[in-house]
Amino acid sequence: MEFEVNGVPCAVDVDGDPAAVEVVREQLGLTGTKLVCAGGVCGACTIQVDGEPRVACLTPAVRLGGRRVTTVEGLAGHPVGRAFAGEDALQCGYCTPGFVVGAAAFFERWRAAHGRRRPGREEIAEALAGHLCRCGAYEGIFRAVAAACAGDYEGEAPAPPRTEAPEKVDGSARYTTDHRPEGLLEGVIVRSPHAHAYVRSLEAGDLPLVPLLPPDGVVRYVGQPVAAVAAADRASARAAAERVRVEYEVLPAALDTGRSRAGEGPVVYGDKAARKLAPGSGEAPQLTPARWRGNRRGPSAMSKRPATAVRRITEARRSSPERVVEGLFTTAAQTHTPLEPHACLARWDEGTLHLEVSTQSVREVAVQAAERFGVPLERVVARAVHVGGGFGCKMGLTSDVVAAVELARLHGAPVRVVLDRDEELTDGGYRPGSRIRLAMAADSAGGLSALAMDADSDGGVSVGGTVAALARFMYGKAPRRLRDFDTVTHRPPGAPFRGPGGPTMCWALEQAVDEMAHRLGEDPIALRRRWDGNPKRHALYDLAAALPAWSGTRGGTGRFRRGVGVAAANWLYFLDPVTEVELTVEDGIVVARCAVQDMGTGSRTVLRRAVAEGLGVPLERVRAEVGHSDTAHGPTSGGSRTTPSIVPAGADAAARLRAALGAGDGDGDLGTRLDGANGVRVTGRRTRDRRGYVTPFNLTAGGVAIGRGFTGSVQVAEVEVDTRLGRIRPLRVWSGIAAGRIHEERLARSQCEGAVIQGVGYALFEERRTDPATGRVLTDNLEDYRIPGIADTPEITVHFHQEGFEHVPGGGVGLGEIATLPTAAALANAVHDATGRRPYDMPIRPDRLLEGLAT
């Protein structure tokens, strides 16, 4: 079949009726077109056919015959692409080509009808309604499309704020899913159809097969990996997987969360050895010891004078019940679903293992792979140059990595394993659901007298929930009993998700504080400021109280009611104290190398600027190379530890290079010295905080420490509630962030905006569901599992309070997690303000809201 692609005639094979996305990517090698949902929901595969946008995953390739097709590669230099780069309308970049193609088609229509008039948010949202960005870069996308249509990017444009932006907007950035070496085989994982079973045998005839069972041979959830096979293409690999015969002894399954919470039902982990197999759903699984009773683990406690807390609450119930707030709060599980799924390409070459992997921990993947597969660390090379999102679920040796490595060893050929979207939504990780019982008492002076919180985390077969524990660090030193439990069931495991436990804890605590303010007749911001001793948040409270929205008119009695709510949060300051940055002068350019990865958080750009500023040279004289495990040790992208780790190491490396070149602090531009310093190499290390660290963990095998000081956030949300249909429309969110010095403001702002949008999804509609009879995940596609789209985006204002971390080298710490913690609670408090009804259950679905309004 013949057609035109990006102005060039081409001929392709369409035997077997492939989708257009397969032909574009695999036969034409135009990998800017991404396959994400395979259901026409996300827009990542958008192409233009005769100038009209089409989703290539649902378009049969035969429909392209004789047509004019344009992919993102054919839009190089287009004003829309330049605007996306210039306005930083992207983060991980995996969805960006689809947005650019769709926005370019809108640009042409808009220009024809309206000339250079700037389109509004509603017009842009309507045009791009079929596109999704899990990072939440929608505010930048609004700006970019409006600026392009207005002609702002048709002349000379400044360099984009994000180093790799040009590659991401023109489709040339290569992700793990885009690599296709000679002789590549595609791997497929065979998964259990049962929630609980013992695998008696695996039979595949003469088909090469890799077992993926746990040591005890027991599968504990529907979708658990059992084995893996590979073939020349994806369809053949799926056919091979169908030929695998697994003999299961089906066992009773614990699928009733209530029974498991009571310690009843079939036991998921029968003894201590089995319990060690339990994966972790938090940053530090099973760090705090806890006892098991059947399928309930806990309590693990981070209490402070718990007996006093219980006594004070009991006395307050009797003597002053008006100063006691109690409630049962619940949250649904929130699935990560990064648009680039879990993916790994493995090959063995003369005893060296090479990995292309979508990961948040490229160095740690190499370390764990060396241990798992029995090779020296120096014979493992992992690469994660571009990563299409993670949010906490892409840590360590995930099943895609293990399957790809073992299949590559078995076949003696490169093997790629890429999860389908239903696999990603089933076994790719999620923030556990929770059930939180809270009691809070105030004393006669209106101070916080005591707090009690019991949090049950429902993370399937995983454990390690830390929800209640995080309430230890908010609102002074009042006594508090804080107990965390894990309710274990035969469902897929949870995984750390952007501030593990934090948004969940805030959902309960911040609504309780809001309720207490109403009980005491006090302004909710004023009460928080009085209870909260953190000076950084004090500055944010003052700004929040002065917002026009806070003092403006709200509520009402008609169908549409407006409300404003506030919530606050803090987060631990994590870092990797053994981070290194290597600088090498190559042809007059300083190349900065670090085994850190960039998931769209801006690590590459932050490192480049830190080195350039330390050297006193223009950015153009520095190139940052990240995502290679065999370079200087870099941090895992988790716990918001990346920036406070790489910035000091980069600055130290720059100082060492200046010294190596004989340049003093007072010397100006190093350009001349660099031109003659080819091959000079130095390694810088992260310098120690002036106030030391609180607790170091695992410093030799990866490195994470807790620094002194908490980041802070205060958010004010404004909503409109449709009391007839039960719909909630977020209008505006003001997000105040206290994380010290901001090293790349545009990129940091985008991170905070995206964090708010993920919080909107958590509060209003994200809800992972499983079949109560079988344990199968029902929300295994992006229609049934809804994430926020561009039309769900409120107007977001971000304010950075840049003081308070002067003791940290570089002056600033991470902010990716603190920025999402209070959002859901702020929206809930706004809904209460609008309706007078407290939403205890999340998400705040229309049916729940209407039921509350009817009572």
Side-chain angles (χ1 to χ4, degrees):
M1 185 188 73
E2 296 182 353
F3 60 102
E4 180 184 297
V5 179
N6 300 329
V8 179
C10 69
V12 298
D13 179 5
V14 293
D15 289 346
D17 195 23
V21 66
E22 298 175 56
V23 169
V24 169
R25 285 180 58 82
E26 296 171 17
Q27 294 191 41
L28 301 179
L30 298 172
T31 56
T33 304
K34 306 296 187 205
L35 177 60
V36 171
C37 70
V41 180
C42 72
C45 65
T46 301
I47 58 177
Q48 290 181 17
V49 180
D50 293 337
E52 291 298 318
R54 296 284 184 269
V55 285
C57 67
L58 296 185
T59 302
V62 295
R63 300 288 291 273
L64 304 182
R67 313 292 286 276
R68 177 172 50 87
V69 173
T70 304
T71 69
V72 70
E73 289 87 351
L75 294 172
H78 192 284
V80 166
R82 299 176 70 198
F84 267 65
E87 299 294 331
D88 197 40
L90 65 146
Q91 287 185 32
C92 82
Y94 206 72
C95 68
T96 305
F99 267 102
V100 169
V101 174
F106 170 72
F107 171 92
E108 301 299 339
R109 296 194 304 271
W110 182 264
R111 278 293 186 86
H114 304 285
R116 291 175 180 255
R117 183 166 72 84
R118 193 175 294 265
R121 289 172 71 98
E122 289 186 5
E123 291 143 328
I124 295 169
E126 182 180 359
L128 300 179
H131 294 260
L132 295 174
C133 173
R134 188 50 163 159
C135 299
Y138 297 129
E139 284 285 4
I141 292 169
F142 278 126
R143 292 193 302 269
V145 176
C149 290
D152 295 353
Y153 282 86
E154 293 178 16
E156 288 294 322
R162 191 178 299 266
T163 298
E164 75 279 10
E167 300 168 67
K168 289 180 173 178
V169 300
D170 69 12
S172 61
R174 304 273 283 180
Y175 298 80
T176 299
T177 54
D178 298 329
H179 292 278
R180 193 173 184 83
E182 188 71 24
L184 176 70
L185 301 180
E186 297 283 1
V188 167
I189 295 175
V190 178
R191 297 180 180 274
S192 170
H194 305 292
H196 191 202
Y198 175 72
V199 176
R200 289 188 171 278
S201 65
L202 284 168
E203 176 60 46
D206 59 356
L207 180 69
L209 174 145
V210 168
L212 296 175
L213 290 166
D216 61 2
V218 176
V219 291
R220 291 181 168 84
Y221 60 91
V222 174
Q224 181 167 344
V226 172
V229 295
D233 55 60
R234 188 82 171 163
S236 299
R238 288 197 186 99
E242 291 292 328
R243 288 162 44 201
V244 176
R245 295 291 173 257
V246 186
E247 182 184 356
Y248 294 98
E249 178 187 339
V250 179
L251 304 171
L255 296 173
D256 186 320
T257 305
R259 292 192 67 199
S260 286
R261 188 178 298 119
E264 301 172 353
V267 177
V268 177
Y269 298 108
D271 53 34
K272 288 184 178 180
R275 290 166 187 164
K276 291 181 179 179
L277 301 175
S281 62
E283 293 277 13
Q286 304 194 55
L287 181 66
T288 304
R291 67 179 184 272
W292 289 72
R293 182 170 67 89
N295 288 328
R296 198 176 195 221
R297 178 181 179 269
S300 58
M302 287 282 286
S303 300
K304 185 188 302 181
R305 298 163 58 201
T308 302
V310 172
R311 176 175 53 79
R312 289 184 179 181
I313 291 171
T314 302
E315 292 175 353
R317 286 190 185 115
R318 183 182 65 253
S319 62
S320 52
E322 72 281 0
R323 294 201 300 271
V324 177
V325 172
E326 298 187 79
L328 177 62
F329 299 84
T330 69
T331 67
Q334 181 186 28
T335 303
H336 301 71
T337 193
L339 292 198
E340 182 188 26
H342 284 73
C344 178
L345 191 160
R347 66 180 176 88
W348 293 86
D349 184 5
E350 297 182 353
T352 296
L353 173 60
H354 296 268
L355 301 171
E356 296 281 350
V357 59
S358 184
T359 183
Q360 298 175 227
S361 53
V362 67
R363 174 72 178 179
E364 192 62 18
V365 163
V367 170
Q368 293 182 19
E371 181 178 352
R372 170 74 181 256
F373 304 113
V375 293
L377 180 57
E378 60 270 18
R379 303 302 296 270
V380 180
V381 180
R383 286 168 48 92
V385 177
H386 294 289
V387 180
F391 318 112
C393 69
K394 294 179 177 177
M395 303 279 199
L397 288 186
T398 46
S399 61
D400 53 302
V401 181
V402 175
V405 172
E406 294 288 20
L407 286 168
R409 179 151 56 184
L410 181 66
H411 286 273
V415 174
R416 181 175 62 188
V417 175
V418 179
L419 299 196
D420 288 334
R421 188 52 45 179
D422 62 337
E423 293 179 289
E424 186 68 38
L425 284 161
T426 296
D427 199 24
Y430 59 92
R431 188 192 305 280
S434 71
R435 184 175 182 270
I436 304 168
R437 189 171 294 279
L438 180 148
M440 172 189 291
D443 57 28
S444 58
L448 178 61
S449 173
L451 172 67
M453 183 185 291
D454 283 357
D456 272 285
S457 292
D458 178 11
V461 298
S462 64
V463 298
T466 51
V467 176
L470 296 174
R472 181 183 176 93
F473 308 115
M474 285 291 288
Y475 301 121
K477 299 179 180 179
R480 54 199 72 193
R481 189 187 71 178
L482 307 171
R483 303 190 299 182
D484 277 295
F485 300 85
D486 292 299
T487 299
V488 184
T489 61
H490 284 111
R491 291 186 175 89
F497 192 155
R498 201 171 195 170
T504 311
M505 183 276 292
C506 286
W507 174 254
L509 179 64
E510 288 301 298
Q511 287 202 73
V513 174
D514 201 68
E515 184 65 28
M516 184 63 80
H518 292 299
R519 297 275 185 95
L520 299 177
E522 189 169 352
D523 179 272
I525 292 179
L527 177 67
R528 285 175 171 82
R529 195 184 192 285
R530 188 161 58 81
W531 282 10
D532 190 348
N534 187 295
K536 295 188 287 292
R537 278 195 299 278
H538 277 197
L540 297 178
Y541 289 132
D542 293 342
L543 291 168
L547 293 172
W550 187 250
S551 57
T553 303
R554 61 247 212 176
T557 57
R559 172 180 173 179
F560 295 99
R561 305 179 191 176
R562 292 199 174 194
V564 181
V566 65
N570 67 1
W571 190 247
L572 298 165
Y573 149 41
F574 292 102
L575 67 144
D576 183 335
V578 294
T579 297
E580 298 179 336
V581 170
E582 178 190 274
L583 301 183
T584 305
V585 182
E586 299 179 6
D587 298 324
I589 299 296
V590 178
V591 182
R593 294 185 173 94
C594 178
V596 65
Q597 48 291 311
D598 193 334
M599 308 181 300
T601 52
S603 304
R604 186 183 278 104
T605 306
V606 168
L607 176 59
R608 184 186 180 204
R609 184 172 296 279
V611 171
E613 288 183 353
L615 293 174
V617 300
L619 278 174
E620 293 74 21
R621 299 300 296 264
V622 179
R623 183 173 78 246
E625 292 185 0
V626 302
H628 299 249
S629 69
D630 55 344
T631 56
H633 173 85
T636 291
S637 294
S640 297
R641 77 188 79 159
T642 305
T643 293
S645 301
I646 63 175
V647 167
D652 182 63
R656 292 172 184 267
L657 182 58
R658 290 184 67 90
L661 297 178
D665 291 339
D667 291 353
D669 182 31
L670 291 183
T672 303
R673 293 176 189 262
L674 291 175
D675 290 337
N678 199 45
V680 173
R681 178 177 300 167
V682 300
T683 299
R685 295 169 179 82
R686 192 198 188 281
T687 50
R688 187 173 177 82
D689 287 12
R690 289 197 294 273
R691 290 167 54 189
Y693 309 132
V694 178
T695 310
F697 297 112
N698 197 24
L699 294 183
T700 58
V704 57
I706 301 176
R708 296 190 180 277
F710 289 90
T711 59
S713 176
V714 175
Q715 292 186 1
V716 175
E718 184 179 1
V719 302
E720 180 183 79
V721 178
D722 182 339
T723 59
R724 183 178 300 171
L725 299 180
R727 293 176 179 168
I728 300 164
R729 185 163 69 98
L731 301 175
R732 280 170 284 276
V733 174
W734 181 88
S735 178
I737 304 294
R741 180 189 171 194
I742 302 301
H743 295 278
E744 287 287 346
E745 184 162 330
R746 292 285 288 279
L747 277 60
R749 193 171 301 279
S750 180
Q751 276 284 294
C752 295
E753 292 165 350
V756 167
I757 290 163
Q758 287 191 353
V760 168
Y762 191 36
L764 300 185
F765 38 75
E766 293 192 44
E767 185 174 13
R768 177 186 174 96
R769 294 187 175 186
T770 58
D771 187 325
T774 65
R776 178 183 177 272
V777 174
L778 301 176
T779 49
D780 62 354
N781 60 78
L782 289 178
E783 283 186 298
D784 293 326
Y785 188 84
R786 186 188 165 201
I787 66 174
I790 192 167
D792 301 308
T793 304
E795 295 181 21
I796 303 171
T797 302
V798 179
H799 172 81
F800 295 118
H801 178 72
Q802 301 196 43
E803 300 174 4
F805 285 96
E806 290 77 13
H807 61 287
V808 176
V813 299
L815 49 68
E817 291 173 297
I818 185 62
T820 200
L821 266 62
T823 306
L827 290 166
N829 289 333
V831 169
H832 175 266
D833 186 54
T835 66
R837 300 293 178 178
R838 176 73 56 194
Y840 289 92
D841 302 309
M842 179 164 66
I844 316 173
R845 299 192 314 249
D847 61 312
R848 288 173 170 168
L849 181 61
L850 291 175
E851 182 180 352
L853 292 174
T855 57

